[in-house]
Amino acid sequence: MNLEFLRSYLAVIRSGSFNAAARELGVAQPTVSQHVKKLEESVGHTLVLRSSSGCTIASKTEAFVRHAEALLRLADLAQNALHNPSILVGASSNIGTYLLQPYLKEFRDANQSRLALDVVLGPNPDIARKLEQGEIDVATMEWWDSRPGFVARTFRTEPLVVIAPPTHPWAKRSHISPAELLDQPMIGGELGTGTGRILQDILGSNAKHLRIVMSLGSTEAVKRAVRAGHGISIVFESAIADEVRSGALVVVPVRRAKIKKDLYVIHRRGLPQESIIVQFANGL
Amino acid sequence: MNLEFLRSYLAVIRSGSFNAAARELGVAQPTVSQHVKKLEESVGHTLVLRSSSGCTIASKTEAFVRHAEALLRLADLAQNALHNPSILVGASSNIGTYLLQPYLKEFRDANQSRLALDVVLGPNPDIARKLEQGEIDVATMEWWDSRPGFVARTFRTEPLVVIAPPTHPWAKRSHISPAELLDQPMIGGELGTGTGRILQDILGSNAKHLRIVMSLGSTEAVKRAVRAGHGISIVFESAIADEVRSGALVVVPVRRAKIKKDLYVIHRRGLPQESIIVQFANGL
DNA sequence: ACACGTTACGGCAACCGTAAGGATT
DNA sequence: AATCCTTACGGTTGCCGTAACGTGT
């Protein structure tokens, strides 16, 4: 598939004429015919319905037009990407929302150059997929399964806390025992964040008796559910600083158990040390 | 820019070696050298840092790697698009959420063929941009500014209603006069939906005295804000059927004023009548 | 008859592979 | 010396433009 062919093809579709397309592109008209023909041969499908009074797209090839336009647009973007350097950071929603922001500001200030620094948030599995498919340059996540071709580093070990509404009986307790977690209805956070595994470390095989009464897509939603009295939950300590200060939520310490989660920063293997990506990852 | 060159380039980056890339692609090694060189010439930038012990990407070209991978992925998608026909429908959030769903089901049932029918929701201006740039095949929106190259049709005229919380003084009124709207704090919906223009039709130049106390991104958020007593609002009648039935919101009729909004379906000009897009648009 | 797209064909550039040439370890 | 990438070069292919050829209005 040749991008010039696509350009001719789209010009024909837009203008409705091989002739007009040729003028628009500044080539001879038979060249456009040839381009479209070659393109049709390469995809094995008729793309343009020829007619003396205006050419149209063939039925069921609507999606191809869309993709072709996206391809040319993306080719332009790729060119620009070299003149306006940018990196795309993927982050699990929790990390991106509560932990990454100060570092982003710091990193951007340190690289005072006009570096575009974009962040995409999403569920951990989505971020992992995006990294693997090259949609993002570097990822910060709550787990990593050491896939080949990538370098992962624990950049932080973040404490987790049990939260409850201030009206909860536990609010007056100085601490609880791990086993007591099994008695309470619990709100689960976003799936695939590895919190289940951490609870297994503390509770052993009893973990399967946890009563997860609902599972919500974001920590903000979890916090609201806990405040509404639906149950307790376990979240990043840094995610509930405001609510604890205002008294909307209380933290319940768990005896003899430091609940914490390792956070990973991951990028492709084989990047040079000077790479902005490596600098971003190492600076975390 | 040549897709084969990109393929060689990415193979070099992945494997860290021109030799390995050549083996992987089943071509001679100098060919890969040539590909990378040509690519670098075409973009005017060194892309690969050569070294006897593993090649790496050049600094500040991280974004180019990402784009290159996206390009090849998209080229594959374009191919598949011909074998698995699909159309992408863009819809303003309101329409997509409250009005489009029944028709989507109906249309999909009518075209029992395995047609992929995807919908992207978004603010009206975003949808318009996506349509213009060919990211979507057909759009349903709350306005249309008759841009050239597109066909628009009013597919529906949808009534709007004034909503208030059941505790509001208006809840007991049989109707209000248009001028009374100026006295009440009002919650604005998503920007760019054309509701402002409609209020101007009713209120004339007084519309500028409306007290829009907050503007929220979605009708769901607007409904919650009204229920919480932040003010009144104007929304699609069909968006609040549930809340009216349950008594969570009340509808306040406006005397001598039919508030309604024309809804448009838009697609590229020059599609054949048999096109699935045209069928979708005409069936609405 | 005219306008439009297709086919035919020749010149030229681009591409690929083989072989030889540096550079680094 | 071995490995790796680059350069050089010839054969082949592919691409573009001109010109001639169908076809539908």
Side-chain angles (χ1 to χ4, degrees):
Chain A
M1 180 156 355
N2 181 318
L3 294 180
E4 293 310 310
F5 296 174
L6 285 177
R7 218 177 294 280
S8 296
Y9 159 68
L10 288 178
V12 170
I13 295 295
R14 261 199 309 274
S15 63
S17 146
F18 280 64
N19 225 316
R23 278 197 304 275
E24 183 185 319
L25 298 171
V27 297
Q29 182 271 330
T31 302
V32 176
S33 282
Q34 209 175 117
H35 284 184
V36 173
K37 190 177 178 184
K38 290 272 175 64
L39 183 63
E40 288 178 327
E41 280 168 4
S42 83
V43 300
H45 218 285
T46 304
L47 294 171
V48 177
L49 297 177
R50 278 80 160 171
S51 144
S52 306
S53 52
C55 300
T56 55
I57 71 171
S59 202
K60 299 187 183 166
T61 65
E62 291 91 356
F64 189 80
V65 182
R66 175 161 32 92
H67 283 99
E69 291 189 316
L71 265 169
L72 294 183
R73 200 161 39 238
L74 194 51
D76 274 352
L77 283 179
Q79 289 272 10
N80 284 330
L82 289 169
H83 302 107
N84 302 11
S86 80
I87 65 176
L88 203 52
V89 181
S92 86
S93 311
N94 279 329
I95 298 179
T97 308
Y98 302 109
L99 304 174
L100 203 58
Q101 299 305 328
Y103 179 65
L104 287 175
K105 177 164 170 41
E106 179 192 325
F107 185 79
R108 167 159 269 158
D109 291 347
N111 293 266
Q112 75 283 32
S113 67
R114 46 177 179 64
L115 164 75
L117 185 61
D118 297 314
V119 181
V120 293
L121 299 186
N124 277 269
D126 280 15
I127 296 296
R129 186 192 54 77
K130 280 181 200 288
L131 181 67
E132 195 152 26
Q133 301 197 352
E135 291 177 35
I136 55 180
D137 296 309
V138 57
T140 57
M141 292 181 42
E142 301 174 34
W143 50 257
W144 181 246
D145 47 11
S146 58
R147 311 184 186 196
F150 293 89
V151 181
R153 181 174 75 84
T154 303
F155 71 93
R156 192 151 161 179
T157 299
E158 187 67 15
L160 299 175
V161 292
V162 174
I163 55 171
T167 54
H168 195 277
W170 283 1
K172 299 189 174 60
R173 302 272 302 272
S174 67
H175 55 259
I176 59 167
S177 72
E180 286 180 275
L181 288 171
L182 300 173
D183 302 329
Q184 292 288 325
M186 185 173 282
I187 317 292
E190 191 184 292
L191 296 175
T193 56
T195 305
R197 189 178 38 71
I198 282 166
L199 286 173
Q200 267 190 349
D201 290 350
I202 298 169
L203 298 168
S205 61
N206 289 326
K208 63 176 174 293
H209 296 121
L210 279 169
R211 292 167 49 204
I212 309 281
V213 290
M214 70 174 110
S215 206
L216 299 171
S218 79
T219 300
E220 284 304 309
V222 168
K223 282 150 64 171
R224 283 175 192 276
V226 171
R227 289 171 66 169
H230 293 301
I232 62 163
S233 189
I234 297 184
V235 299
F236 282 143
E237 186 173 39
S238 44
I240 41 80
D242 288 348
E243 284 83 356
V244 169
R245 201 175 309 120
S246 71
L249 287 171
V250 296
V251 167
V252 187
V254 179
R255 188 170 14 155
R256 270 201 302 262
K258 272 261 187 294
I259 319 182
K260 52 195 180 354
K261 194 185 273 185
D262 288 332
L263 304 183
Y264 301 89
V265 56
I266 307 124
H267 59 76
R268 262 191 309 284
R269 184 175 296 286
L271 298 175
Q273 210 59 26
E274 323 84 71
S275 155
I276 307 178
I277 295 176
V278 172
Q279 284 176 32
F280 181 91
N282 288 345
L284 254 170
Chain B
M1 180 150 3
N2 181 317
L3 294 181
E4 293 309 310
F5 296 174
L6 285 176
R7 218 178 294 280
S8 295
Y9 159 68
L10 288 177
V12 169
I13 295 296
R14 262 199 309 274
S15 63
S17 146
F18 281 65
N19 224 316
R23 277 196 305 276
E24 183 185 317
L25 298 171
V27 297
Q29 181 270 328
T31 302
V32 176
S33 283
Q34 211 175 121
H35 283 184
V36 173
K37 190 177 177 184
K38 291 270 176 61
L39 183 64
E40 288 179 326
E41 281 168 3
S42 83
V43 300
H45 218 286
T46 304
L47 294 172
V48 177
L49 298 176
R50 278 79 159 171
S51 143
S52 306
S53 52
C55 299
T56 56
I57 71 171
S59 200
K60 299 187 182 166
T61 65
E62 291 90 356
F64 188 79
V65 181
R66 177 163 28 95
H67 284 99
E69 291 188 316
L71 264 169
L72 293 183
R73 203 163 35 239
L74 194 52
D76 274 353
L77 283 179
Q79 290 271 10
N80 284 330
L82 289 169
H83 302 106
N84 302 9
S86 79
I87 65 176
L88 204 52
V89 181
S92 86
S93 311
N94 279 330
I95 299 178
T97 308
Y98 302 108
L99 304 174
L100 203 57
Q101 298 307 327
Y103 179 64
L104 288 175
K105 177 163 169 41
E106 177 193 327
F107 184 79
R108 167 160 269 157
D109 290 348
N111 293 264
Q112 74 284 30
S113 65
R114 45 175 178 65
L115 164 75
L117 186 60
D118 296 315
V119 181
V120 292
L121 300 186
N124 277 270
D126 281 14
I127 296 296
R129 186 191 54 77
K130 280 183 201 285
L131 180 67
E132 194 152 26
Q133 301 197 351
E135 290 176 36
I136 55 180
D137 295 309
V138 56
T140 57
M141 292 182 40
E142 301 174 34
W143 50 256
W144 181 246
D145 46 11
S146 57
R147 310 183 187 197
F150 294 89
V151 181
R153 183 174 74 85
T154 303
F155 71 93
R156 191 154 162 177
T157 298
E158 186 68 14
L160 299 176
V161 292
V162 174
I163 55 171
T167 56
H168 195 278
W170 285 0
K172 300 189 176 58
R173 302 272 300 273
S174 68
H175 55 260
I176 59 168
S177 72
E180 285 180 276
L181 287 171
L182 300 173
D183 302 330
Q184 291 289 325
M186 186 173 282
I187 317 291
E190 192 184 291
L191 297 174
T193 56
T195 304
R197 189 179 38 70
I198 283 166
L199 286 173
Q200 267 190 350
D201 291 349
I202 299 170
L203 298 168
S205 61
N206 289 326
K208 63 174 174 292
H209 295 121
L210 278 168
R211 290 168 50 205
I212 309 281
V213 290
M214 71 175 110
S215 205
L216 299 170
S218 80
T219 300
E220 285 303 309
V222 167
K223 280 150 64 172
R224 283 174 194 276
V226 171
R227 289 171 66 172
H230 293 301
I232 62 165
S233 189
I234 297 183
V235 299
F236 281 142
E237 187 173 38
S238 45
I240 41 79
D242 288 347
E243 283 83 355
V244 169
R245 200 175 309 119
S246 72
L249 287 171
V250 297
V251 167
V252 187
V254 179
R255 188 172 10 162
R256 270 202 301 262
K258 271 260 187 292
I259 319 183
K260 53 193 181 348
K261 193 185 274 184
D262 288 333
L263 304 182
Y264 301 90
V265 57
I266 307 124
H267 61 76
R268 262 191 310 284
R269 184 175 296 284
L271 297 176
Q273 210 60 25
E274 323 85 72
S275 156
I276 307 177
I277 295 176
V278 173
Q279 285 176 33
F280 181 91
N282 288 344
L284 252 171

